[in-house]
Amino acid sequence: MQNIAWIDGIYSDLSEAKVSIEDRGYLLGDGVYEVIRVYNGQPFYLDAHLQRLHRSAEAIRINLPLSIEQVKKTVLELVEKSSCSEGYIYMQLTRGSASRDHLFPADTAPSLVMYVRELKPIPEIDAVKPQMAITLPDERWLNCYIKSTNLLPNLLARQKAAEAGAVEALLYRQGGIVTEGTRSNVFAVVDGKVRTHPATNLILAGITRGIVIDIIQELSIPFLEKPFNLQELETAEEVWVTSTTMEVNPIKAVDNKLLKSPAPGPVCKQLMEAFRNKIAANCLEDVK
Ligand code: PDD
């Protein structure tokens, strides 16, 4: 496949794609983004991602330069042109390019860019190695429901996690309430019930989180959309994180303490299987 970019209507090879040095995304982090997984040449839950892009844009008062239908058409065209089978689409919308000013520029058109890059196919369940997580204070702002390109607190926490040999940092706010990971949502099985933070302003309502909740409900697994705290996390029966690129990812230890039962536990394993079935149902039919 070819890694291709689309910038405000123009296609190019990703290595040659350029935006202005005065783009407000670059200078000020004045933008929002999406990451969409492509399985078998088909974007997974594209409509849900585009709805969230629309919500994020609205929240920071940027008008999408195209209708959602046109963005969708462009995404499908991009995937087709690149001959992508397994990959992801990165999409970023900024307030455009203008002389640097904290104020919104009056007559500047927003800028929409997207590109597609190759990824490995989703591994078989037995090939997924459960990993460690650490906990860190959530130092982000109070509008985490917006998928903003301002990711510095996420990056700093993720870097600390990597340096501690962990795949993810699980973030907590006052009272030890666990919100989410730096780039994922987090679930735990506490006293036999699956729990995750409700979709408030304190977390990003992950598309994968939504799919996993649907599966939990389809399978009648006991579930509460209720936050858990650090103590409950420490004694949880199972923990996993979810995201577009990490899918359903089992956690075996938190802050260097192994969980009660070996990961992936029975609930996580069931969800990993059902998640793969969702991919098959959505992306493996109508093969191009
Ligand atoms: N991250 N929470 C945060 C803070 C995230 O950045 C992400 C996704 C998620 C999971 O959302 P979804 O299931 O829609 O991917 C939760 C993307 C993948 C990223 O920044 O690369």
Side-chain angles (χ1 to χ4, degrees):
M1 72 165 272
Q2 192 190 356
N3 296 327
I4 296 183
W6 178 99
I7 304 183
D8 295 321
I10 312 285
Y11 286 101
S12 62
D13 192 83
L14 179 58
S15 61
E16 280 153 22
K18 302 261 184 305
V19 293
S20 160
I21 199 170
E22 286 196 311
D23 185 280
R24 289 175 63 91
Y26 174 63
L27 288 184
L28 303 159
D30 190 5
V32 293
Y33 75 104
E34 277 299 325
V35 180
I36 304 155
R37 188 65 165 83
V38 178
Y39 295 109
N40 197 42
Q42 298 181 52
F44 189 52
Y45 281 74
L46 177 57
D47 290 340
H49 281 280
L50 297 182
Q51 277 162 21
R52 187 173 64 188
L53 178 73
H54 188 258
R55 273 202 309 278
S56 295
E58 215 170 50
I60 66 164
R61 297 163 59 189
I62 297 183
N63 290 323
L64 262 168
L66 301 179
S67 70
I68 291 293
E69 265 317 299
Q70 285 168 322
V71 179
K72 183 172 174 177
K73 214 175 128 225
T74 308
V75 168
L76 296 174
E77 223 170 73
L78 184 70
V79 171
E80 172 115 46
K81 265 191 201 297
S82 66
S83 309
C84 173
S85 173
E86 298 295 321
Y88 69 92
I89 298 146
Y90 179 81
M91 186 182 297
Q92 180 166 304
L93 173 70
T94 73
R95 212 175 301 278
S97 178
S99 166
R100 187 179 180 279
D101 193 335
H102 285 55
L103 279 177
F104 297 173
D107 305 311
T108 299
S111 172
L112 181 64
V113 312
M114 50 184 113
Y115 63 79
V116 58
R117 253 195 190 274
E118 192 162 18
L119 275 183
K120 288 194 185 119
I122 184 167
E124 297 289 331
I125 292 176
D126 292 343
V128 178
K129 248 180 77 188
Q131 310 221 37
M132 302 215 298
I134 59 167
T135 57
L136 287 175
D138 192 339
E139 294 178 345
R140 299 172 303 160
W141 67 337
L142 296 175
N143 292 311
C144 298
Y145 72 98
I146 301 170
K147 201 158 169 59
S148 152
T149 55
N150 286 271
L151 289 172
L152 207 42
N154 306 56
L155 308 186
L156 291 171
R158 163 86 169 102
Q159 186 61 31
K160 271 194 191 164
E163 286 166 6
V167 70
E168 182 59 301
L170 306 178
L171 307 174
Y172 58 89
R173 297 233 181 213
Q174 257 190 345
I177 296 293
V178 177
T179 51
E180 60 180 338
T182 65
R183 56 185 173 128
S184 63
N185 294 113
V186 59
F187 291 72
V189 180
V190 180
D191 295 331
K193 289 196 180 78
V194 178
R195 301 251 296 268
T196 196
H197 196 289
T200 65
N201 60 313
L202 297 183
I203 69 158
L204 182 79
I207 305 303
T208 321
R209 172 188 180 278
I211 299 168
V212 165
I213 292 176
D214 285 348
I215 295 172
I216 285 172
Q217 282 163 350
E218 284 160 22
L219 297 177
S220 305
I221 295 171
F223 171 64
L224 286 177
E225 204 171 354
K226 180 180 165 195
F228 49 86
N229 61 28
L230 286 174
Q231 265 168 353
E232 288 168 317
L233 177 67
E234 197 188 319
T235 55
E237 289 114 58
E238 301 184 35
V239 177
W240 61 87
V241 292
T242 66
S243 88
T244 295
T245 46
M246 298 171 88
E247 288 127 355
V248 180
N249 215 292
I251 297 296
K252 65 172 182 189
V254 178
D255 290 334
N256 281 320
K257 279 191 215 111
L258 282 174
L259 295 178
K260 274 187 197 157
S261 43
V267 180
C268 182
K269 211 162 175 181
Q270 219 181 339
L271 297 175
M272 292 169 82
E273 268 164 27
F275 190 77
R276 282 159 178 75
N277 292 339
K278 285 266 179 218
I279 296 172
N282 283 275
C283 300
L284 297 190
E285 287 155 13
D286 301 318
V287 182
K288 279 180 208 154

